[in-house]
Amino acid sequence: MQYILMNYEYEAAILSLDTDYGTDMVRHIRILDPERVPFMIRGTNDPARAMGKWIVRRMIPSYRKGLSYLTNVIGEDIFDASLYSYGQSLTDGYWFRPIGDSTQWEAIGFRKTGFSNDIGYLSFGFACEDPNLYSPDFTTNGQLPKTWRERNGDAYLLKGGSAPDYEEPHNENIASSILAKIARVPYVTYEVGDFKGKPVSVCKNFIREGTEFVSAADLMSAIRRPPYLTQDMHLEECCKTFHIPYYRELLDTIRYLDYLIANTDRHFGNFGFLYDVRSCQFFGPAPIFDSGTALWNLTEFPEESKEEAAAGAMSLAENLSEPEVCKPISGRTVKELIIAGYKRSDLSEDRIMKIAELAEIRAGLCKESIHEATARRLNRLKHTGRSEFVR
């Protein structure tokens, strides 16, 4: 079947789709507006295959917990089910309009029409008869169950955790409380809520009408990486090419936070930048989000030697583009925030204290290492005759 890939009110591409082919579902593509197609397909020699991968990656993944229950109830493939709401998402403006259909964005956008909660109940494993498929939940990626909910005219994302302790929602809340103390760039504020008796993280959608979230991975795919550049170097070059403001501050803050909370799941897909679809320009970093896989939540017995922590702190300090990009935070403050953040959790007191103490040590070592790195840089500048940090 043929569709026009729309980006809000703009026609971006014409697609011939056959969902029987999985990631090769795009049998043909004709790009109409190169500045309004997904970044993932901009730097490729095979835009049809790249578009197919983008479509699949944008949907609920095959490894999502509880997916089989959801698909059994709705009796549809996830992508096909998403087409009941034109394949919309709440994190970008892309949608699929069948050729010959005259529907306009103003008539279907979730922000104006609202959406069903039914798919969210099914995603979390709860029964729902004759579900309404007009939902943005089909276009949420990641392993953990998620659902969008409306509150006072705004959309909020609810995200579950992993049994038995469901630590991730509490970790998101703790990370945002630490960012409130250290960050000079935007970040998502998380609360811990309850969904049918289970803890979930709750955050407000940071995408406004006319904009989209572009992950670092998608940005990097828009320009072919030269073999002499590392992935991190390539990302910085892409940020320069697209004139993205404050990208260094974002990268440094993420590095600092991830060290403090021992985040083991930071990757190029869960941070990025905000793109204005109408002006076709980036206007800054997306708020920092998705820090739940942290604070030793995947380990049965949290532990780390001081030597390991010190090596990590030294590496962090040497790799920050500006040592004081973040506001300083004491180990004691980090410890207090962690203890307070786990107050409503099911974790044992012993586990909470162990995690808090490990993070306290990290924060102290981080402060020392950044101070020493700053002194070394100042000394180098003094000997080269330069009077300030060069960015």
Side-chain angles (χ1 to χ4, degrees), residues 12-82:
I14 297 175
L15 312 176
S16 294
L17 301 183
D18 186 338
T19 55
D20 289 339
Y21 288 87
T23 55
D24 290 323
M25 70 172 73
V26 181
R27 311 309 292 168
H28 179 73
I29 180 172
R30 180 157 67 91
I31 294 174
L32 304 175
D33 190 338
E35 291 192 296
R36 293 189 174 95
V37 293
F39 274 77
M40 184 174 172
I41 75 166
R42 297 190 187 191
T44 178
N45 292 326
D46 190 352
R49 182 161 176 76
M51 178 63 76
K53 288 182 177 179
W54 175 82
I55 290 171
V56 170
R57 197 191 64 189
R58 189 168 167 264
M59 300 290 151
I60 295 175
S62 59
Y63 54 84
R64 169 74 61 84
K65 294 180 179 180
L67 176 62
S68 60
Y69 175 70
L70 168 62
T71 53
N72 285 340
V73 173
I74 64 175
E76 300 252 14
D77 170 85
I78 291 297
F79 177 67
D80 288 338
S82 78

Side-chain angles (χ1 to χ4, degrees), residues 295-333:
L295 295 171
W296 297 272
N297 75 306
L298 298 179
T299 60
E300 187 175 358
F301 302 106
E303 59 182 356
E304 181 179 52
S305 70
K306 192 168 182 178
E307 290 73 23
E308 290 174 319
M314 188 178 300
S315 175
L316 167 71
E318 290 294 341
N319 283 292
L320 293 177
S321 60
E322 284 195 18
E324 299 193 10
V325 68
C326 294
K327 292 174 275 188
I329 189 169
S330 69
R332 180 178 178 180
T333 299

Side-chain angles (χ1 to χ4, degrees), residues 35 66-67 76-77 83 88 100 112 116 151 174 178 181 212 250 258 306 318 328 350 367:
E35 291 192 296
L67 176 62
E76 300 252 14
D77 170 85
L83 293 176
Q88 290 182 72
K112 293 183 180 179
S116 166
R151 184 200 297 173
I174 290 167
I178 291 174
K181 301 287 186 183
E212 70 177 274
L250 171 71
D258 287 349
K306 192 168 182 178
E318 290 294 341
D350 287 346
K367 198 171 181 180

Side-chain angles (χ1 to χ4, degrees), residues 97-152:
R97 186 172 73 187
I99 294 289
D101 188 327
S102 60
T103 301
Q104 298 299 309
W105 171 250
E106 291 76 12
I108 64 155
F110 286 132
R111 291 174 179 84
K112 293 183 180 179
T113 65
F115 48 85
S116 166
N117 292 336
D118 294 351
I119 301 306
Y121 289 120
L122 294 172
S123 295
F124 277 82
F126 298 104
C128 180
E129 293 185 13
D130 193 22
N132 181 338
L133 303 186
Y134 203 83
S135 170
D137 292 344
F138 292 117
T139 50
T140 57
N141 58 18
Q143 179 181 7
L144 295 172
K146 299 174 184 175
T147 183
W148 289 99
R149 288 292 187 268
E150 288 184 287
R151 184 200 297 173
N152 299 324

Side-chain angles (χ1 to χ4, degrees), residues 221-233:
S221 66
I223 301 174
R224 192 162 299 175
R225 178 173 66 90
Y228 54 84
L229 290 182
T230 65
Q231 295 276 25
D232 287 341
M233 292 166 66

